[in-house]
């Protein structure tokens, strides 16, 4: 006679198929052939490609291949719609966004089934996660449209924006990008992934049903050539891209110097940390949701399991037992846990990673509750153990249901392992100690950290990465800012320098012949001689003021190394940083007579008055930066779940900046002081017309308690030193607001190596502008009551 245990062991889920008849009927109604949507009209295509169901190999529809001419047509339609769309005002746009949200809700089941057919993900994921969250984004941004004028009074829309999304979350990525763009008053040219265009085409129908003005949303289908035409189009004001790091790097180079705003949400290799005191059963369930959700085709998937070595045996035993119960099968079965990978090419890519790891000696465990279905792009959940930190499968994004495992002994070692990657998109950590969790979370270099949870998203909370996971945010207030610009014209067409003198040095200003002070560079808190041994004369008309050292590539290398070594400045308290900046302002004020004389030497008849005003403004700037040090903090979001999200402002890291030639003292400090206030370490190239000011600052820095390496000053030619800094892989952000268009193009292209965030050829409209550039937002999700 069977026992209850025996019966339970043999129990299994019965089939629970979701009918695809409505989706198939919709495809039939369209003739299973789709063109483009431009200016509210359907545009037929010339050549077509197949959109396949990856679970069966069935051809769902044929989709037109776009061309640069169609991209141009779409841009013209978006331009034509722009005045009317902006003329509606915030309330008018809010009504349209609300209507789009309602339209998505009305067709929610159709969207869910269509997405599952086109992408291969389980119906319960599209039905319960993707579609509701897409709806949430349109509702949320309807609210932002209503509040835009009062919350962003000095900001305006960018214009026509180009948006390119991947195939892993076709409709959700559309919502993440389209909703904030429309809320801010922009019009859109959108390119879906060629593998998964169908839900975007259905969305275009919803736009028509909801009465969205023609041309506000335009859709051009096609492969990467269409995306390239969009990226290179000269009248596109912004590119928002989600996809691979390699393509993101190419987009950075292609848009360099174009003036386009750019946001990149790229790859990831996210750590999943399990500490000794974690709830192991909960951690295993979270891990399944993290790495096997959407077949692991998630940029923020927790693909690197880092577990305390004493806890590892118990956790891995539970994990293998849980993996054995994961059901891989038809995505339209509501009992399915994992569906199909998106394409045969993706299946081959994932298989290749695993087989190479196996050949290198890794231990590969694969299990599934049922045999993999035949005829589709299915891959079993996989655990890869006995791997080195440098292994390909640990360092490179697999983008599939593949998990590696490594162990650690201490929290510090866990953080080091977590940060040992070129990416920085997300992390998940598990501990019953909230103190440990909130100590570790800020130390992980990632844009999102989930505590005792994984893959939590909401429209109110920003999402985006650090390092080679890209820059910019989607969602929340910070995501909205990506589609706005200051309501002032941006200068173009050359450097702001108007002075005729070439000033590279320091002497006692105002004297015809002073004692030769032999100025040096300021690196690591010390005055150091330039590596090249060269100096340049400083002239004010026919009067020699002195000489200044010429920094070179090696001096920049030393300055960046000093900045990286000064990480304690970032870890210091905001209050402590404020005190140092106040002290620096006090010392600057005490030395204003010397600085006024120096600045006046090249300023003509009105020199003394202007110089005195500049020094006072510099003191005021330092005071303001000190004041903001402990006030430009983050926010606490309350998403619609049981928990809170801490949106922390974190320093960029090492910020390199080139100071403007105008107002050499104030121009330097208005960039460096806010950066320092936020905990960044700075490598600055002072004014090329009067860098003597920087040398006068050396003594002030030495007596103001600023740690060595927090601020480094390297005088020399702007173009040469800027190129070195922009290309340096240990520089996290590069600023040159006074750059010309040609200079901006060059340094932005050079910055693509490590995808550092750049701020070039744009006006400095006040300290809030600089503070915004000086931080990146980390969202830490902390659940409660669960």
């Amino acid at each position: 006679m069977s026992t209850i245990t025996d019966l339970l062991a043999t129990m299994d889920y019965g089939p629970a198929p979701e009918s695809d008849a409505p989706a198939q009927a919709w495809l039939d109604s369209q003739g299973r052939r789709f063109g483009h949507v431009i200016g509210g009209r359907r545009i037929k295509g010339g050549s077509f490609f197949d959109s396949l169901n990856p679970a069966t190999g069935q051809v769902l529809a044929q989709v037109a291949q776009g061309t640069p001419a169609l991209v141009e047509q779409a841009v013209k339609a978006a331009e034509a719609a722009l005045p009317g769309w902006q003329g509606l005002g915030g309330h008018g746009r809010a009504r349209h966004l609300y209507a789009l949200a309602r339209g998505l809700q009305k067709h929610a089941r159709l969207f869910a089934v269509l997405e599952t057919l086109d992408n291969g993900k389980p119906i319960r994921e599209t039905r319960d996660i993707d579609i509701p969250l897409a709806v949430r984004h349109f509702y949320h941004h309807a609210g932002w449209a209503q509040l835009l004028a009062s919350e962003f009074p000095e900001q305006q829309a960018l214009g026509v924006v180009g948006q390119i999304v991947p195939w892993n979350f076709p409709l959700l990525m559309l919502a993440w990008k389209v909703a904030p763009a429309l809320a801010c008053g922009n019009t859109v040219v959108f390119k879906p992934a060629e593998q998964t265009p169908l839900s975007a085409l259905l969305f275009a129908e919803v736009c028509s049903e909801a009465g969205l003005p023609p041309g506000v949303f335009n859709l051009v289908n096609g492969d990467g050539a269409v995306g390239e035409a969009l990226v290179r189009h000269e009248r596109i004001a912004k590119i928002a891209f989600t996809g691979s790091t390699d393509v993101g790097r190419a987009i950075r180079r292609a848009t360099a110097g174009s003036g386009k705003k750019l946001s990149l949400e790229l790859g990831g290799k996210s750590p999943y940390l399990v500490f000794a005191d974690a709830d192991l059963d909960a951690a295993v369930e979270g891990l399944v949701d993290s790495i096997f959700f959407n077949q692991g085709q998630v940029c923020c998937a927790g693909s690197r399991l880092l577990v305390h070595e004493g806890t590892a045996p118990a956790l891995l035993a539970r994990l293998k037992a849980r993996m054995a119960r994961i059901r891989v099968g038809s995505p339209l079965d509501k009992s399915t846990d994992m569906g199909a990978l998106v394409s045969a090419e993706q299946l081959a890519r994932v298989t290749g990673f695993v087989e190479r790891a196996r050949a290198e000696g890794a231990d590969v465990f694969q299990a599934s509750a049922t045999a993999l279905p035949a005829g589709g792009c299915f891959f079993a959940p996989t655990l890869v153990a006995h791997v080195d930190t440098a292994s390909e499968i640990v360092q490179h994004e697999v983008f599939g249901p593949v998990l590696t495992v490594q162990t650690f002994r201490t929290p510090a070692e866990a953080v080091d392992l977590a940060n040992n990657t070129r990416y920085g998109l997300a992390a998940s950590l598990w501990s019953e100690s909230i103190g440990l969790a909130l100590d570790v979370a800020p130390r992980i270099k990632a844009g999102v950290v989930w505590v005792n949870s994984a893959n939590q998203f909401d429209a109110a909370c920003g999402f985006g990465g650090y390092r080679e996971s890209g820059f910019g945010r989607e969602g929340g207030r910070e995501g909205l800012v990506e589609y706005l610009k200051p309501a002032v014209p941006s200068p173009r067409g050359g450097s702001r320098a108007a002075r005729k003198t070439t000033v590279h040095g320091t002497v006692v200003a105002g004297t015809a012949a002073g004692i030769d002070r032999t100025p040096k560079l300021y690196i690591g808190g010390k005055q150091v001689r330039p590596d090249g041994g060269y100096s340049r004369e400083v002239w004010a008309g026919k009067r020699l003021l002195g000489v200044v050292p010429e920094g070179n590539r090696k001096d920049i290398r030393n300055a960046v190394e000093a900045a990286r070594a000064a990480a304690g400045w970032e870890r210091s308290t905001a209050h402590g940083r404020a005190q140092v900046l106040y002290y620096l302002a006090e010392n600057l004020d005490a030395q204003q007579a010397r600085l006024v004389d120096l600045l006046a030497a090249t300023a003509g008849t009105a020199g003394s008055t202007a110089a005195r005003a500049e020094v006072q403004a510099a003191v005021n700037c330092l005071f303001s930066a000190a004041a903001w040090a402990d006030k430009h903090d983050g926010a606490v979001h309350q998403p619609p779940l049981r928990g809170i999200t801490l949106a922390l402002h974190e320093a960029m890291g090492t910020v390199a900046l080139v100071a403007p030639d105008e107002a050499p003292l104030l121009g330097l400090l208005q960039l460096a002081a806010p950066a320092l206030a936020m905990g960044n370490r700075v490598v600055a190239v002072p004014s090329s017309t009067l860098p003597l000011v920087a040398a006068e600052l050396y003594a002030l820095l030495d007596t103001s308690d600023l740690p060595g390496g927090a601020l480094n000053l390297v005088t020399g030619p702007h173009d040469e030193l800027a190129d070195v800094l922009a290309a340096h892989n240990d520089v996290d952000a590069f600023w040159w607001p006074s750059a010309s268009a040609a200079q901006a193009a060059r340094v932005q292209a050079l910055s693509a190596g490590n995808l550092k965030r750049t701020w070039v050829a744009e006006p400095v409209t006040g300290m809030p502008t600089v503070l915004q550039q000086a931080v990146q937002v980390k969202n830490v999700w902390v659940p409660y009551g669960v």
Side-chain angles (χ1 to χ4, degrees), residues 434-634:
I434 190 65
L436 176 62
L438 294 183
D439 173 57
V440 169
R443 293 156 59 192
I444 296 176
K445 295 299 182 183
V448 181
V449 178
W450 295 294
V451 175
N452 292 338
S453 58
N455 283 342
Q456 300 293 313
F457 308 100
D458 186 67
C461 307
F463 180 85
Y466 294 4
R467 297 175 169 175
E468 292 189 33
S469 289
F471 48 81
R473 294 294 183 267
E474 296 186 287
R477 189 183 185 97
E478 56 267 36
L480 203 72
V481 171
E482 298 292 337
Y483 291 93
L484 294 168
K485 65 180 179 180
V488 295
S490 178
R492 287 290 185 268
S495 171
R496 299 180 184 182
R499 303 175 187 261
K500 296 181 180 179
T501 53
T502 303
V503 181
H504 289 276
T506 185
V507 295
V508 179
T511 60
I515 298 174
D516 183 5
R517 296 170 59 189
T518 316
K520 303 180 183 69
L521 307 177
Y522 193 76
I523 296 175
K526 300 177 182 179
Q527 297 186 47
V528 297
R529 297 185 186 279
D531 171 70
Y534 287 98
S535 297
R536 274 202 278 174
E537 295 179 338
V538 179
W539 291 86
K542 295 182 178 180
R543 177 183 172 200
L544 177 64
L545 296 180
V547 294
V548 73
E550 291 281 87
N552 64 13
R553 179 180 296 271
K554 185 174 180 181
D555 297 314
I556 290 293
R557 182 201 68 185
N558 294 340
V560 173
E561 287 180 356
R564 302 291 285 192
W569 178 249
E570 182 178 349
R571 294 193 296 268
S572 64
T573 66
H575 172 73
R577 294 195 297 270
Q579 298 310 299
V580 172
L581 290 171
Y582 279 129
Y583 193 20
L584 181 58
E586 178 185 336
N587 289 336
L588 180 64
D589 187 62
Q591 296 296 324
Q592 65 173 298
R594 292 165 58 86
L595 290 164
V596 167
D597 286 345
L598 177 60
L599 292 168
T602 58
T605 56
S608 295
T609 301
R612 191 171 293 107
E614 182 177 345
V615 174
Q616 284 301 313
V619 173
N620 183 64
C621 174
L622 286 168
F623 262 77
S624 295
W628 276 113
D630 60 356
K631 297 175 184 65
H632 186 65
D633 45 20

